[in-house]
């Protein structure tokens, strides 16, 4: 099977030029001017379009047992939504309960995705307990192709690890040559602040921020980087939300800690005022770390532009407002944490980043695709348009205009946090390993065709 994409403007993290791209089976095999199509080739006219490498979301939750409920999407709904939005690969967090067997959790998450996901996928392995039995299983899981760990410094009594466990996780990660991703908030501080606020009858979603202020996140970053420094481990801070935390990461970077930073589209475009909306509407915007004061957005955009922040992810975590967020009606600490955004990340980043002059096209591709591929051992198979790369391509229409709405979304949740926002561009065609999966905003691919991407450790 072959595919020829003609006359598009190819844009990667470092290059921009007009050429044709020829794909055979699953791979890009020629990039040149005036390529002709052998008989039977599907030809796509990309005149006036931009062609990006398939976008990678390095932080999503699909199967997620959390806070007494489960995130709403299935791998089928989430992957279709991802593809319509231009994301051709995602990295899902495996989040076992502390009492779960890590290997059983890996098999469970893999089983949920395999044969269901329409786009390619891989995992970060959550370390929620560290003992010698678990250590052995983590080593086996890395051999099975999962070359990154995830630790939570937050969520006391659920996912959070002790300092001893953090130390042992980073020691093992260093030994195996894998990177550790980390949710950085001080779990004890959060718990004490929650107790104090509830004791003062401050129970609404508007108090969520006060229970996890910027210093609590900055302390988490500082804490992680102290441990990473001692062990010379490689760490990646997920969903960094504010100036204070970014300053801690920058200080760590300058003293030589191997640290990379991710932020989210939510933090760039939504703010604390959303979580303060009346009539419990604010619950739709409760996530951790919380949405911050608007002043932080300039810092995050600048951090992205300058590369101090490497990646832009979603932390997609969809919970229905009507039946799930409502669980915290009388107690904000019971509102399932998370804001969905898998479908809209790329179009919003393009519109409010590139079109508004906050980041250039190359940094856009880099932050939403190439950096994740490099950091997590997928490059140049993913995140690149070059000979031999997987033919994951986004033929992007920069002239399209649309409005985000729950009424038209593909994700399986009863609201959209970006409701009513304009987008100025969207994927015209999306391919996954040489097959067209999306045309004009419609999924036309093969459900369940997505492949588990095994990643080698030790590429640092
Ligand atoms: O609020 C969030 N971020 N929910 C998803 C779980 C996590 O912490 O990543
Ligand atoms: Zn988190
Ligand atoms: Zn997350």
């Amino acid at each position: 099977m072959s595919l020829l994409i003609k006359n598009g403007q190819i844009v990667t993290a470092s290059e921009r030029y007009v050429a044709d791209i020829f794909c055979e089976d699953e791979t890009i095999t020629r990039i040149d001017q005036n390529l002709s199509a052998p008989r039977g080739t599907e030809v796509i006219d990309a005149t006036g379009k931009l062609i990006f490498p398939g976008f990678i979301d390095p932080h999503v939750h699909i199967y997620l047992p959390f806070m007494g409920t489960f995130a709403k999407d299935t791998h089928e709904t989430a992957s279709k939504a991802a593809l319509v939005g231009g994301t051709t690969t995602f990295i899902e967090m495996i989040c076992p309960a502390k009492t779960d067997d890590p290997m059983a959790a890996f098999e469970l998450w893999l089983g949920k995705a395999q044969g269901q996901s329409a786009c390619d996928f891989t995992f970060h392995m959550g370390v929620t307990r560290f003992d010698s039995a678990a250590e052995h299983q983590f080593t086996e899981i890395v051999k099975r192709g999962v070359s990154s760990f995830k630790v939570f410094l937050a969520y006391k009594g659920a996912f959070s690890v002790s300092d001893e466990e953090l130390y042992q996780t980073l020691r093992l990660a260093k030994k195996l040559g894998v990177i550790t991703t980390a949710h950085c908030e001080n779990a004890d501080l959060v718990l004490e602040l929650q107790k104090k606020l509830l004791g003062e009858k401050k129970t609404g979603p508007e108090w969520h921020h006060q229970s996890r202020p910027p210093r609590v996140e900055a302390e988490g970053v500082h804490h992680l980087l102290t441990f990473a420094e001692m062990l010379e481990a490689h760490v990646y801070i997920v969903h960094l939300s504010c100036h204070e935390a970014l300053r801690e990461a920058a200080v760590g970077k300058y003293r030589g800690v191997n640290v990379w930073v991710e932020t989210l589209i939510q933090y760039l475009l939504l703010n604390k005022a959303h979580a303060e909306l009346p009539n419990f509407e604010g619950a739709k915007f409760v996530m951790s770390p919380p949405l911050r004061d608007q002043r932080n957005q300039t810092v995050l955009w600048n951090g992205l532009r300058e590369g101090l922040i490497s990646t832009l992810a979603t932390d997609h975590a969809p919970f229905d407002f009507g039946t799930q967020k409502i669980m915290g009606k009388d107690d904000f600490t019971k509102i399932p944490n998370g804001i969905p955004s898998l479908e809209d990340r790329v179009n919003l980043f393009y519109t409010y980043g590139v079109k508004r002059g906050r980041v250039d096209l190359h940094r856009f591709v880099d932050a939403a695709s190439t950096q994740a591929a490099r950091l997590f051992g997928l490059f140049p198979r993913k995140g690149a348009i070059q000979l031999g790369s997987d033919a994951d391509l986004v033929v992007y229409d920069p002239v399209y205009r649309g409005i985000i709405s729950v009424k038209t979304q593909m994700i399986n949740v009863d609201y959209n946090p970006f409701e009513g926002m304009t987008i100025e561009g969207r994927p015209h065609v999306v391919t996954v390993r040489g097959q067209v999966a999306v045309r004009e905003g419609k999924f036309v691919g093969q459900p369940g065709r997505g492949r588990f991407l095994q990643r080698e450790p030790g590429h640092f």
Side-chain angles (χ1 to χ4, degrees):
M1 222 193 76
S2 53
L3 179 73
L4 180 62
I5 303 179
K6 287 199 71 68
N7 300 319
Q9 190 165 152
I10 296 170
V11 183
T12 70
S14 54
E15 293 179 300
R16 183 172 181 169
Y17 57 100
V18 175
D20 301 342
I21 303 175
F22 186 64
C23 313
E24 279 168 290
D25 298 325
E26 300 194 345
T27 312
I28 298 172
T29 54
R30 292 189 70 188
I31 303 174
D32 214 334
Q33 310 295 324
N34 302 317
L35 291 177
S36 53
R39 191 193 299 268
T41 300
E42 175 169 4
V43 180
I44 294 168
D45 179 12
T47 307
K49 309 284 191 294
L50 304 167
I51 306 182
F52 302 124
F55 292 98
I56 301 171
D57 191 335
H59 182 171
V60 307
H61 301 273
I62 299 168
Y63 177 62
L64 177 65
F66 185 46
M67 296 186 74
T69 187
F70 293 84
K72 268 300 296 299
D73 268 313
T74 62
H75 286 81
E76 186 182 340
T77 58
S79 63
K80 287 179 179 172
L83 285 165
V84 165
T87 294
T88 53
T89 297
F90 52 66
I91 312 185
E92 185 183 3
M93 301 288 177
I94 297 177
C95 297
K98 271 183 184 298
T99 47
D100 289 346
D101 212 13
M103 185 56 86
F106 168 63
E107 297 286 6
L108 174 65
W109 260 261
L110 182 60
K112 296 251 175 218
Q114 240 161 3
Q116 300 299 318
S117 178
C119 66
D120 287 355
F121 57 91
T122 179
F123 303 99
H124 301 300
M125 183 63 216
V127 178
T128 50
R129 183 186 83 243
F130 197 101
D131 54 28
S132 57
E135 174 169 5
H136 176 72
Q137 294 181 35
F138 292 132
T139 307
E140 289 305 305
I141 290 165
V142 171
K143 286 189 195 145
R144 298 271 302 270
V146 176
S147 60
S148 45
F149 292 154
K150 165 73 184 285
V151 289
F152 291 89
L153 306 191
Y155 305 130
K156 184 98 181 155
F159 296 145
S160 72
V161 287
S162 67
D163 280 356
E164 186 185 350
E165 289 171 314
L166 175 62
Y167 184 91
Q168 294 300 343
T169 305
L170 294 179
R171 180 193 54 74
L172 180 65
K174 175 72 183 171
K175 180 173 141 200
L176 299 176
V178 309
I179 188 166
T180 302
T181 69
H183 176 139
C184 296
E185 288 180 299
N186 184 300
D188 287 292
L189 277 174
V190 172
L191 189 64
E192 293 308 320
L193 290 169
Q194 287 178 334
K195 282 195 278 192
K196 177 174 175 293
L197 289 161
L198 291 177
E200 294 164 359
K201 306 270 181 290
K202 294 172 174 167
T203 58
E206 67 275 22
W207 298 104
H208 177 68
H209 185 277
Q210 210 155 306
S211 72
R212 319 173 91 103
R215 282 293 351 138
V216 165
E217 185 183 350
E219 200 288 320
V221 170
H222 183 86
H223 200 77
L224 176 79
L225 297 194
T226 304
F227 280 66
E229 185 173 13
M230 297 295 147
L231 288 151
E232 296 178 15
H234 293 74
V235 291
Y236 173 95
I237 298 164
V238 299
H239 53 40
L240 184 138
S241 72
C242 63
H243 188 181
E244 289 84 341
L246 187 59
R247 193 162 41 216
E248 290 291 349
V251 169
K253 238 184 216 290
Y254 290 132
R255 70 173 191 268
V257 182
N258 299 305
V259 56
W260 291 267
V261 175
E262 163 195 286
T263 192
L264 309 179
I265 193 70
Q266 293 92 314
Y267 297 133
L268 295 176
L269 298 178
L270 306 172
N271 63 60
K272 186 167 165 277
H274 288 92
E276 294 167 350
L277 288 171
N279 304 322
F280 199 62
E281 277 286 297
K284 293 178 180 171
F285 301 92
V286 165
M287 67 173 299
S288 296
L291 298 177
R292 300 299 189 191
D293 281 340
Q294 196 146 7
R295 67 178 169 84
N296 290 283
Q297 291 178 351
T298 311
V299 176
L300 297 178
W301 280 114
N302 290 343
L304 263 174
R305 190 182 57 240
E306 302 304 325
L308 182 57
I309 298 174
S310 297
T311 55
L312 183 80
T314 64
D315 189 16
H316 181 69
F319 296 101
D320 272 344
F321 180 63
T323 53
Q324 295 180 297
K325 292 282 186 181
I326 201 77
M327 290 159 62
K329 186 89 184 80
D330 302 316
D331 176 350
F332 71 87
T333 68
K334 295 194 167 60
I335 300 170
N337 286 199
I339 301 181
S341 52
L342 178 58
E343 189 169 342
D344 299 315
R345 173 187 66 133
V346 171
N347 292 331
L348 288 168
F349 192 24
Y350 181 79
T351 304
Y352 296 95
V354 177
K355 294 296 281 278
R356 301 290 181 275
R358 291 172 169 133
V359 290
D360 70 19
L361 264 179
H362 301 296
R363 240 339 255 150
F364 162 74
V365 173
D366 200 33
S369 176
T370 310
Q371 279 296 319
R374 286 187 187 280
L375 281 168
F376 299 117
L378 293 167
F379 189 85
R381 180 174 173 190
K382 307 290 189 188
I385 299 181
Q386 45 180 262
L387 303 189
S389 294
D390 281 357
D392 295 355
L393 298 162
V394 177
V395 180
Y396 201 78
D397 180 358
V399 172
Y400 176 84
R401 296 291 178 271
I403 293 179
I404 292 179
S405 173
V406 65
K407 294 195 188 101
T408 48
Q409 72 187 11
M410 306 273 300
I411 50 170
N412 181 34
V413 62
D414 65 0
Y415 74 103
N416 190 305
F418 306 102
E419 187 73 34
M421 288 181 77
T422 303
I423 50 167
E424 300 173 13
R426 78 161 181 193
H428 170 67
V429 167
V430 178
T431 70
V432 178
R433 285 180 282 107
Q435 280 191 22
V436 173
V438 172
R439 274 184 221 279
E440 306 276 5
K442 296 268 176 305
F443 176 76
V444 295
Q446 196 180 320
R449 180 172 172 263
R451 188 174 286 162
F452 169 46
L453 303 169
Q454 289 170 293
R455 300 174 290 124
E456 291 289 318
H459 63 281
F460 293 105

